[in-house]
Amino acid sequence: MKMQSNNPLLLIKLLALHSLLALSAAQDFDFFYFVQQWPGSYCDTKQGCCYPSTGKPSSDFGIHGLWPNRNDGSYPSNCDSSNPFDASKISDLTSHMQTQWPTLACPSNNGLTFWGHEWDKHGTCSESVLNQHDYFATTLSLKNEINLLQALRTAGIQPNGQKYSLSSIKTAIQQASGYTPWVECNNDLSGNSQLYQIYLCVDSSASGFIECPVFPKGSCGSSIEFPSF
Ligand code: 5GP
Ligand code: 5GP
């Protein structure tokens, strides 16, 4: 079909409007943080924890989330209330979710609340790249690519309640994975700084790890505990 217009200006305006609309639907982030939590450090705090209804998670890092982020450190959140979490879209992933993405919040539950929160807050901001099923499937497969606990153990860093230097923890992960992690700490009941979450970065199409364009704010102190779980 031949497009006809005897008003070229109108055509240009329509084309401009079209590309503006395309832009506004495009992604509003530059990369992802892939965040994993150490269950021992979630549980031994003032808030405490509850094991999921499926039982005590294994002594391993668990997924917290895959968070779209911008290079200036800001991030979008809760981007699409018209596409809320729908557990039926990830029914094939449930058993992997339970082992790799366990919830530790109270009251004890099956995990859907945590996963739903992560989709609604973060996942809806990357739906131009990952639909609901693929958001969770991709995050699960990222965890398989880099084994944080193994990386730390290889360097002699064990979850045994001892203190380790922050730099030795970062170096261990860098050497095993090739990527520089960000380490977030929290405090146990006695106020000791401890390894809580590890951040790695993923490119904006969620196809693989990258060096982080920017790190979150905050710091741990130079020596931190690695509690058992
Ligand atoms: P907190 O305030 O405990 O550090 O973070 C609370 C929540 O805000 C996180 O669990 C996460 O959902 C979100 N959040 C905190 N920092 C960042 C960040 O740097 N990037 C993104 N994308 N989300 C963040
Ligand atoms: P974010 O900090 O990602 O915004 O949100 C974390 C939310 O998920 C909080 O409402 C928290 O209570 C809930 N949640 C459920 N299970 C967990 C868990 O195992 N770890 C963390 N960090 N939050 C959890």
Side-chain angles (χ1 to χ4, degrees):
M1 191 185 78
K2 197 165 171 246
M3 209 178 194
Q4 286 198 336
S5 168
N6 38 25
N7 184 346
L9 206 62
L10 179 68
L11 192 61
I12 289 166
K13 280 183 183 164
L14 281 174
L15 281 172
L17 184 67
H18 181 259
S19 45
L20 247 176
L21 285 174
L23 261 179
S24 65
Q27 64 192 44
D28 180 26
F29 65 98
D30 302 308
F31 68 97
F32 293 92
Y33 284 127
F34 172 51
V35 184
Q36 296 180 65
Q37 63 181 358
W38 179 251
S41 304
Y42 185 92
C43 289
D44 72 1
T45 56
K46 227 186 297 170
Q47 117 230 303
C49 75
C50 293
Y51 298 154
S53 38
T54 42
K56 181 179 177 176
S58 65
S59 177
D60 188 12
F61 286 90
I63 296 170
H64 183 161
L66 185 67
W67 304 343
N69 219 84
R70 304 190 190 101
N71 286 341
D72 68 3
S74 69
Y75 58 91
S77 62
N78 297 102
C79 296
D80 186 4
S81 57
S82 74
N83 185 12
F85 178 67
D86 175 355
S88 72
K89 291 183 172 159
I90 57 164
S91 50
D92 61 316
L93 304 175
T94 305
S95 68
H96 276 112
M97 296 285 294
Q98 283 165 351
T99 57
Q100 307 301 311
W101 202 324
T103 183
L104 291 166
C106 297
S108 180
N109 69 95
N110 61 10
L112 291 177
T113 309
F114 188 26
W115 308 333
H117 170 88
E118 293 301 309
W119 168 258
D120 293 341
K121 179 170 181 178
H122 299 286
T124 56
C125 300
S126 55
E127 60 191 10
S128 59
V129 179
L130 297 168
N131 65 28
Q132 221 172 114
H133 180 271
D134 293 349
Y135 176 78
F136 291 100
T138 300
T139 308
L140 287 170
S141 73
L142 288 168
K143 181 166 190 298
N144 263 338
E145 282 180 47
I146 296 179
N147 186 329
L148 293 178
L149 191 59
Q150 183 62 49
L152 293 171
R153 284 191 193 283
T154 301
I157 299 169
Q158 318 259 17
N160 54 10
Q162 290 183 19
K163 286 194 167 185
Y164 297 93
S165 76
L166 180 61
S167 61
S168 68
I169 291 172
K170 287 188 182 169
T171 302
I173 294 169
Q174 207 284 331
Q175 301 229 309
S177 72
Y179 298 97
T180 314
W182 175 252
V183 176
E184 179 186 349
C185 293
N186 66 2
N187 292 315
D188 71 11
L189 283 170
S190 318
N192 300 307
S193 179
Q194 56 181 359
L195 194 176
Y196 171 42
Q197 301 201 110
I198 294 187
Y199 293 58
L200 290 163
C201 290
V202 172
D203 71 287
S204 61
S205 39
S207 53
F209 290 98
I210 55 169
E211 280 294 335
C212 288
V214 59
F215 286 120
K217 300 232 151 40
S219 78
C220 285
S222 55
S223 171
I224 63 177
E225 251 175 47
F226 191 10
S228 60
F229 180 69

mmCIF file of all heavy atoms in Angstrom, residues 166-176 181:
data_model
loop_
_atom_site.group_PDB
_atom_site.id
_atom_site.type_symbol
_atom_site.label_atom_id
_atom_site.label_comp_id
_atom_site.label_asym_id
_atom_site.label_seq_id
_atom_site.Cartn_x
_atom_site.Cartn_y
_atom_site.Cartn_z
ATOM 1 N N LEU A 166 36.714 -7.428 54.460
ATOM 2 C CA LEU A 166 35.815 -7.152 53.338
ATOM 3 C C LEU A 166 36.560 -7.348 52.020
ATOM 4 O O LEU A 166 36.012 -7.899 51.054
ATOM 5 C CB LEU A 166 35.281 -5.717 53.467
ATOM 6 C CG LEU A 166 34.332 -5.254 52.379
ATOM 7 C CD1 LEU A 166 33.080 -6.114 52.342
ATOM 8 C CD2 LEU A 166 33.953 -3.785 52.590
ATOM 9 N N SER A 167 37.801 -6.918 51.990
ATOM 10 C CA SER A 167 38.542 -7.020 50.728
ATOM 11 C C SER A 167 38.784 -8.482 50.348
ATOM 12 O O SER A 167 38.747 -8.823 49.160
ATOM 13 C CB SER A 167 39.849 -6.224 50.786
ATOM 14 O OG SER A 167 40.668 -6.738 51.799
ATOM 15 N N SER A 168 38.980 -9.374 51.334
ATOM 16 C CA SER A 168 39.191 -10.785 50.970
ATOM 17 C C SER A 168 37.915 -11.392 50.402
ATOM 18 O O SER A 168 37.957 -12.256 49.514
ATOM 19 C CB SER A 168 39.698 -11.590 52.177
ATOM 20 O OG SER A 168 38.683 -11.702 53.169
ATOM 21 N N ILE A 169 36.779 -10.946 50.891
ATOM 22 C CA ILE A 169 35.488 -11.438 50.381
ATOM 23 C C ILE A 169 35.280 -10.980 48.938
ATOM 24 O O ILE A 169 34.927 -11.769 48.050
ATOM 25 C CB ILE A 169 34.347 -10.944 51.298
ATOM 26 C CG1 ILE A 169 34.455 -11.665 52.658
ATOM 27 C CG2 ILE A 169 32.979 -11.162 50.649
ATOM 28 C CD1 ILE A 169 33.511 -11.146 53.728
ATOM 29 N N LYS A 170 35.548 -9.700 48.706
ATOM 30 C CA LYS A 170 35.378 -9.184 47.336
ATOM 31 C C LYS A 170 36.335 -9.860 46.371
ATOM 32 O O LYS A 170 35.952 -10.227 45.250
ATOM 33 C CB LYS A 170 35.612 -7.667 47.320
ATOM 34 C CG LYS A 170 34.478 -6.883 47.941
ATOM 35 C CD LYS A 170 34.698 -5.402 47.693
ATOM 36 C CE LYS A 170 33.614 -4.574 48.353
ATOM 37 N NZ LYS A 170 33.938 -3.150 48.354
ATOM 38 N N THR A 171 37.586 -10.026 46.820
ATOM 39 C CA THR A 171 38.593 -10.638 45.946
ATOM 40 C C THR A 171 38.216 -12.079 45.607
ATOM 41 O O THR A 171 38.359 -12.514 44.459
ATOM 42 C CB THR A 171 39.988 -10.593 46.620
ATOM 43 O OG1 THR A 171 40.298 -9.223 46.888
ATOM 44 C CG2 THR A 171 41.051 -11.195 45.728
ATOM 45 N N ALA A 172 37.707 -12.820 46.603
ATOM 46 C CA ALA A 172 37.344 -14.218 46.367
ATOM 47 C C ALA A 172 36.287 -14.316 45.265
ATOM 48 O O ALA A 172 36.363 -15.174 44.374
ATOM 49 C CB ALA A 172 36.820 -14.836 47.656
ATOM 50 N N ILE A 173 35.299 -13.441 45.334
ATOM 51 C CA ILE A 173 34.218 -13.492 44.340
ATOM 52 C C ILE A 173 34.712 -12.991 42.987
ATOM 53 O O ILE A 173 34.378 -13.553 41.934
ATOM 54 C CB ILE A 173 32.999 -12.697 44.850
ATOM 55 C CG1 ILE A 173 32.429 -13.414 46.085
ATOM 56 C CG2 ILE A 173 31.935 -12.544 43.756
ATOM 57 C CD1 ILE A 173 31.388 -12.627 46.847
ATOM 58 N N GLN A 174 35.544 -11.970 43.020
ATOM 59 C CA GLN A 174 36.092 -11.438 41.769
ATOM 60 C C GLN A 174 36.912 -12.520 41.051
ATOM 61 O O GLN A 174 36.787 -12.704 39.847
ATOM 62 C CB GLN A 174 36.959 -10.204 42.089
ATOM 63 C CG GLN A 174 37.068 -9.190 40.949
ATOM 64 C CD GLN A 174 38.011 -9.644 39.854
ATOM 65 O OE1 GLN A 174 38.955 -10.392 40.127
ATOM 66 N NE2 GLN A 174 37.745 -9.219 38.626
ATOM 67 N N GLN A 175 37.713 -13.230 41.821
ATOM 68 C CA GLN A 175 38.592 -14.240 41.211
ATOM 69 C C GLN A 175 37.798 -15.410 40.657
ATOM 70 O O GLN A 175 38.122 -15.939 39.610
ATOM 71 C CB GLN A 175 39.595 -14.729 42.238
ATOM 72 C CG GLN A 175 40.444 -13.580 42.768
ATOM 73 C CD GLN A 175 41.920 -13.868 42.762
ATOM 74 O OE1 GLN A 175 42.334 -14.903 43.267
ATOM 75 N NE2 GLN A 175 42.705 -12.979 42.201
ATOM 76 N N ALA A 176 36.733 -15.792 41.354
ATOM 77 C CA ALA A 176 35.965 -16.950 40.896
ATOM 78 C C ALA A 176 35.052 -16.595 39.728
ATOM 79 O O ALA A 176 34.801 -17.426 38.851
ATOM 80 C CB ALA A 176 35.150 -17.519 42.049
ATOM 81 N N PRO A 181 32.018 -7.693 43.010
ATOM 82 C CA PRO A 181 30.710 -7.616 43.671
ATOM 83 C C PRO A 181 30.614 -6.388 44.566
ATOM 84 O O PRO A 181 31.628 -5.764 44.897
ATOM 85 C CB PRO A 181 30.715 -8.867 44.548
ATOM 86 C CG PRO A 181 32.162 -9.002 44.953
ATOM 87 C CD PRO A 181 32.974 -8.526 43.766
#
